[in-house]
Amino acid sequence: MAEKLKVLLQYYGISPWEIEVLYGFLNSHFEVMQDEIEPDEPEFVSVLEIRVPLAFNEAFFEWFTFKKWEKIKGILKEMKRRRGSSNALRVRIKFAGSPRITFLADSREREYFDNAVEKMDFVLELLPYHLDPQKLPADTTELSYVFDVRSAKWRQGEATGNKRYLFVNGTWKMI
């Protein structure tokens, strides 16, 4: 039997029930590694990072299935609902690949958080454009996305490699 790929859950302030539900959804396709860490972001009561060992692309969703992905999104939204408004929950999902794709959802308002989680897979349609070597800074190894609450859309946030860049007003600016 082939060895399962390993997905990592790093977290603090997440209930055992929430971790068990996530574990159940992920365990069908991955070996789930768990790491309960010490709080390192004092502005958040709960932080969850999911490191997926596959690239963020259509092949991932075909393999993992959109049905399972919808369940993951559902538990993330439920986690936010249980914590209420304010900076109670930060979720970071990191996908392997070249470049690695990272999503950061931490909106104060539940509606915006839910909207961010719901629209995460919409970025698939934009990836070919965003990953165009003519548009992306050279040597980019990681591309992060942040949710813009004003436009209710995921936006490119930071590109890192040998240098760091922020996406500002439609262009990459070195920081």
PDB file of all heavy atoms in Angstrom, residues 92-95 100-104 142-146 154:
ATOM      1  N   ARG A  92      -4.499  30.055   8.469  1.00  0.00           N
ATOM      2  CA  ARG A  92      -3.509  30.128   7.394  1.00  0.00           C
ATOM      3  C   ARG A  92      -3.470  28.749   6.734  1.00  0.00           C
ATOM      4  O   ARG A  92      -3.271  27.748   7.412  1.00  0.00           O
ATOM      5  CB  ARG A  92      -2.147  30.480   7.982  1.00  0.00           C
ATOM      6  CG  ARG A  92      -1.085  30.805   6.989  1.00  0.00           C
ATOM      7  CD  ARG A  92       0.229  31.209   7.676  1.00  0.00           C
ATOM      8  NE  ARG A  92       0.093  32.443   8.448  1.00  0.00           N
ATOM      9  CZ  ARG A  92       0.167  32.514   9.791  1.00  0.00           C
ATOM     10  NH1 ARG A  92       0.381  31.438  10.514  1.00  0.00           N
ATOM     11  NH2 ARG A  92       0.053  33.664  10.405  1.00  0.00           N
ATOM     12  N   ILE A  93      -3.676  28.723   5.424  1.00  0.00           N
ATOM     13  CA  ILE A  93      -3.603  27.464   4.688  1.00  0.00           C
ATOM     14  C   ILE A  93      -2.476  27.603   3.676  1.00  0.00           C
ATOM     15  O   ILE A  93      -2.496  28.502   2.832  1.00  0.00           O
ATOM     16  CB  ILE A  93      -4.931  27.122   3.991  1.00  0.00           C
ATOM     17  CG1 ILE A  93      -6.058  27.047   5.021  1.00  0.00           C
ATOM     18  CG2 ILE A  93      -4.804  25.804   3.227  1.00  0.00           C
ATOM     19  CD1 ILE A  93      -7.427  26.786   4.450  1.00  0.00           C
ATOM     20  N   LYS A  94      -1.494  26.699   3.795  1.00  0.00           N
ATOM     21  CA  LYS A  94      -0.321  26.731   2.922  1.00  0.00           C
ATOM     22  C   LYS A  94      -0.328  25.501   2.029  1.00  0.00           C
ATOM     23  O   LYS A  94      -0.392  24.379   2.519  1.00  0.00           O
ATOM     24  CB  LYS A  94       0.961  26.744   3.750  1.00  0.00           C
ATOM     25  CG  LYS A  94       1.157  27.996   4.551  1.00  0.00           C
ATOM     26  CD  LYS A  94       2.493  27.978   5.270  1.00  0.00           C
ATOM     27  CE  LYS A  94       2.771  29.338   5.857  1.00  0.00           C
ATOM     28  NZ  LYS A  94       4.195  29.525   6.115  1.00  0.00           N
ATOM     29  N   PHE A  95      -0.247  25.741   0.730  1.00  0.00           N
ATOM     30  CA  PHE A  95      -0.182  24.668  -0.249  1.00  0.00           C
ATOM     31  C   PHE A  95       1.244  24.584  -0.781  1.00  0.00           C
ATOM     32  O   PHE A  95       1.879  25.615  -1.034  1.00  0.00           O
ATOM     33  CB  PHE A  95      -1.135  24.939  -1.413  1.00  0.00           C
ATOM     34  CG  PHE A  95      -2.583  24.769  -1.065  1.00  0.00           C
ATOM     35  CD1 PHE A  95      -3.313  25.820  -0.533  1.00  0.00           C
ATOM     36  CD2 PHE A  95      -3.219  23.549  -1.272  1.00  0.00           C
ATOM     37  CE1 PHE A  95      -4.650  25.673  -0.215  1.00  0.00           C
ATOM     38  CE2 PHE A  95      -4.568  23.394  -0.950  1.00  0.00           C
ATOM     39  CZ  PHE A  95      -5.277  24.453  -0.411  1.00  0.00           C
ATOM     40  N   ARG A 100       4.817  28.126  -3.675  1.00  0.00           N
ATOM     41  CA  ARG A 100       3.852  27.749  -2.648  1.00  0.00           C
ATOM     42  C   ARG A 100       2.776  28.834  -2.601  1.00  0.00           C
ATOM     43  O   ARG A 100       3.072  30.007  -2.786  1.00  0.00           O
ATOM     44  CB  ARG A 100       4.537  27.633  -1.286  1.00  0.00           C
ATOM     45  CG  ARG A 100       5.522  26.491  -1.190  1.00  0.00           C
ATOM     46  CD  ARG A 100       6.156  26.385   0.183  1.00  0.00           C
ATOM     47  NE  ARG A 100       6.787  27.617   0.637  1.00  0.00           N
ATOM     48  CZ  ARG A 100       8.046  27.975   0.368  1.00  0.00           C
ATOM     49  NH1 ARG A 100       8.799  27.210  -0.372  1.00  0.00           N
ATOM     50  NH2 ARG A 100       8.537  29.102   0.830  1.00  0.00           N
ATOM     51  N   ILE A 101       1.539  28.421  -2.362  1.00  0.00           N
ATOM     52  CA  ILE A 101       0.412  29.362  -2.276  1.00  0.00           C
ATOM     53  C   ILE A 101      -0.099  29.347  -0.840  1.00  0.00           C
ATOM     54  O   ILE A 101      -0.355  28.282  -0.281  1.00  0.00           O
ATOM     55  CB  ILE A 101      -0.732  28.969  -3.240  1.00  0.00           C
ATOM     56  CG1 ILE A 101      -0.238  28.853  -4.681  1.00  0.00           C
ATOM     57  CG2 ILE A 101      -1.905  29.926  -3.114  1.00  0.00           C
ATOM     58  CD1 ILE A 101       0.167  30.140  -5.330  1.00  0.00           C
ATOM     59  N   THR A 102      -0.246  30.542  -0.251  1.00  0.00           N
ATOM     60  CA  THR A 102      -0.711  30.675   1.121  1.00  0.00           C
ATOM     61  C   THR A 102      -1.929  31.591   1.160  1.00  0.00           C
ATOM     62  O   THR A 102      -1.931  32.645   0.520  1.00  0.00           O
ATOM     63  CB  THR A 102       0.399  31.259   2.024  1.00  0.00           C
ATOM     64  OG1 THR A 102       1.515  30.384   2.009  1.00  0.00           O
ATOM     65  CG2 THR A 102      -0.083  31.428   3.456  1.00  0.00           C
ATOM     66  N   PHE A 103      -2.936  31.172   1.929  1.00  0.00           N
ATOM     67  CA  PHE A 103      -4.121  31.991   2.167  1.00  0.00           C
ATOM     68  C   PHE A 103      -4.171  32.348   3.639  1.00  0.00           C
ATOM     69  O   PHE A 103      -3.942  31.489   4.496  1.00  0.00           O
ATOM     70  CB  PHE A 103      -5.400  31.223   1.806  1.00  0.00           C
ATOM     71  CG  PHE A 103      -5.531  30.948   0.343  1.00  0.00           C
ATOM     72  CD1 PHE A 103      -5.064  29.762  -0.195  1.00  0.00           C
ATOM     73  CD2 PHE A 103      -6.118  31.872  -0.507  1.00  0.00           C
ATOM     74  CE1 PHE A 103      -5.175  29.500  -1.553  1.00  0.00           C
ATOM     75  CE2 PHE A 103      -6.238  31.627  -1.859  1.00  0.00           C
ATOM     76  CZ  PHE A 103      -5.761  30.431  -2.380  1.00  0.00           C
ATOM     77  N   LEU A 104      -4.501  33.601   3.934  1.00  0.00           N
ATOM     78  CA  LEU A 104      -4.620  34.057   5.310  1.00  0.00           C
ATOM     79  C   LEU A 104      -6.005  34.644   5.509  1.00  0.00           C
ATOM     80  O   LEU A 104      -6.355  35.653   4.891  1.00  0.00           O
ATOM     81  CB  LEU A 104      -3.552  35.109   5.614  1.00  0.00           C
ATOM     82  CG  LEU A 104      -3.567  35.695   7.005  1.00  0.00           C
ATOM     83  CD1 LEU A 104      -3.261  34.614   8.038  1.00  0.00           C
ATOM     84  CD2 LEU A 104      -2.560  36.823   7.113  1.00  0.00           C
ATOM     85  N   GLU A 142       7.127  31.754  -2.805  1.00  0.00           N
ATOM     86  CA  GLU A 142       5.845  31.724  -2.101  1.00  0.00           C
ATOM     87  C   GLU A 142       5.028  32.949  -2.468  1.00  0.00           C
ATOM     88  O   GLU A 142       5.546  34.063  -2.523  1.00  0.00           O
ATOM     89  CB  GLU A 142       6.041  31.672  -0.589  1.00  0.00           C
ATOM     90  CG  GLU A 142       4.736  31.523   0.166  1.00  0.00           C
ATOM     91  CD  GLU A 142       4.918  31.195   1.638  1.00  0.00           C
ATOM     92  OE1 GLU A 142       6.041  30.903   2.058  1.00  0.00           O
ATOM     93  OE2 GLU A 142       3.908  31.221   2.363  1.00  0.00           O
ATOM     94  N   LEU A 143       3.748  32.718  -2.743  1.00  0.00           N
ATOM     95  CA  LEU A 143       2.806  33.785  -3.064  1.00  0.00           C
ATOM     96  C   LEU A 143       1.673  33.713  -2.052  1.00  0.00           C
ATOM     97  O   LEU A 143       1.019  32.676  -1.919  1.00  0.00           O
ATOM     98  CB  LEU A 143       2.267  33.602  -4.485  1.00  0.00           C
ATOM     99  CG  LEU A 143       1.219  34.597  -4.973  1.00  0.00           C
ATOM    100  CD1 LEU A 143       1.760  36.026  -4.961  1.00  0.00           C
ATOM    101  CD2 LEU A 143       0.743  34.217  -6.365  1.00  0.00           C
ATOM    102  N   SER A 144       1.477  34.808  -1.317  1.00  0.00           N
ATOM    103  CA  SER A 144       0.405  34.807  -0.318  1.00  0.00           C
ATOM    104  C   SER A 144      -0.768  35.637  -0.813  1.00  0.00           C
ATOM    105  O   SER A 144      -0.604  36.601  -1.563  1.00  0.00           O
ATOM    106  CB  SER A 144       0.908  35.357   1.018  1.00  0.00           C
ATOM    107  OG  SER A 144       1.208  36.728   0.904  1.00  0.00           O
ATOM    108  N   TYR A 145      -1.944  35.224  -0.362  1.00  0.00           N
ATOM    109  CA  TYR A 145      -3.183  35.922  -0.673  1.00  0.00           C
ATOM    110  C   TYR A 145      -3.811  36.407   0.625  1.00  0.00           C
ATOM    111  O   TYR A 145      -3.787  35.706   1.640  1.00  0.00           O
ATOM    112  CB  TYR A 145      -4.169  34.992  -1.384  1.00  0.00           C
ATOM    113  CG  TYR A 145      -3.810  34.743  -2.829  1.00  0.00           C
ATOM    114  CD1 TYR A 145      -2.956  33.715  -3.183  1.00  0.00           C
ATOM    115  CD2 TYR A 145      -4.331  35.551  -3.835  1.00  0.00           C
ATOM    116  CE1 TYR A 145      -2.619  33.492  -4.505  1.00  0.00           C
ATOM    117  CE2 TYR A 145      -4.003  35.334  -5.169  1.00  0.00           C
ATOM    118  CZ  TYR A 145      -3.145  34.301  -5.490  1.00  0.00           C
ATOM    119  OH  TYR A 145      -2.807  34.093  -6.809  1.00  0.00           O
ATOM    120  N   VAL A 146      -4.365  37.612   0.568  1.00  0.00           N
ATOM    121  CA  VAL A 146      -5.106  38.184   1.693  1.00  0.00           C
ATOM    122  C   VAL A 146      -6.491  38.551   1.190  1.00  0.00           C
ATOM    123  O   VAL A 146      -6.669  38.877   0.014  1.00  0.00           O
ATOM    124  CB  VAL A 146      -4.389  39.414   2.298  1.00  0.00           C
ATOM    125  CG1 VAL A 146      -3.091  39.005   2.969  1.00  0.00           C
ATOM    126  CG2 VAL A 146      -4.125  40.470   1.256  1.00  0.00           C
ATOM    127  N   TRP A 154     -10.228  37.909  -2.836  1.00  0.00           N
ATOM    128  CA  TRP A 154      -8.855  37.559  -2.488  1.00  0.00           C
ATOM    129  C   TRP A 154      -7.928  38.366  -3.387  1.00  0.00           C
ATOM    130  O   TRP A 154      -8.139  38.466  -4.586  1.00  0.00           O
ATOM    131  CB  TRP A 154      -8.608  36.068  -2.688  1.00  0.00           C
ATOM    132  CG  TRP A 154      -9.178  35.245  -1.581  1.00  0.00           C
ATOM    133  CD1 TRP A 154     -10.361  34.574  -1.599  1.00  0.00           C
ATOM    134  CD2 TRP A 154      -8.603  35.010  -0.302  1.00  0.00           C
ATOM    135  NE1 TRP A 154     -10.553  33.931  -0.407  1.00  0.00           N
ATOM    136  CE2 TRP A 154      -9.484  34.182   0.417  1.00  0.00           C
ATOM    137  CE3 TRP A 154      -7.425  35.412   0.320  1.00  0.00           C
ATOM    138  CZ2 TRP A 154      -9.235  33.759   1.713  1.00  0.00           C
ATOM    139  CZ3 TRP A 154      -7.169  34.995   1.614  1.00  0.00           C
ATOM    140  CH2 TRP A 154      -8.064  34.179   2.302  1.00  0.00           C
TER     141      TRP A 154
END
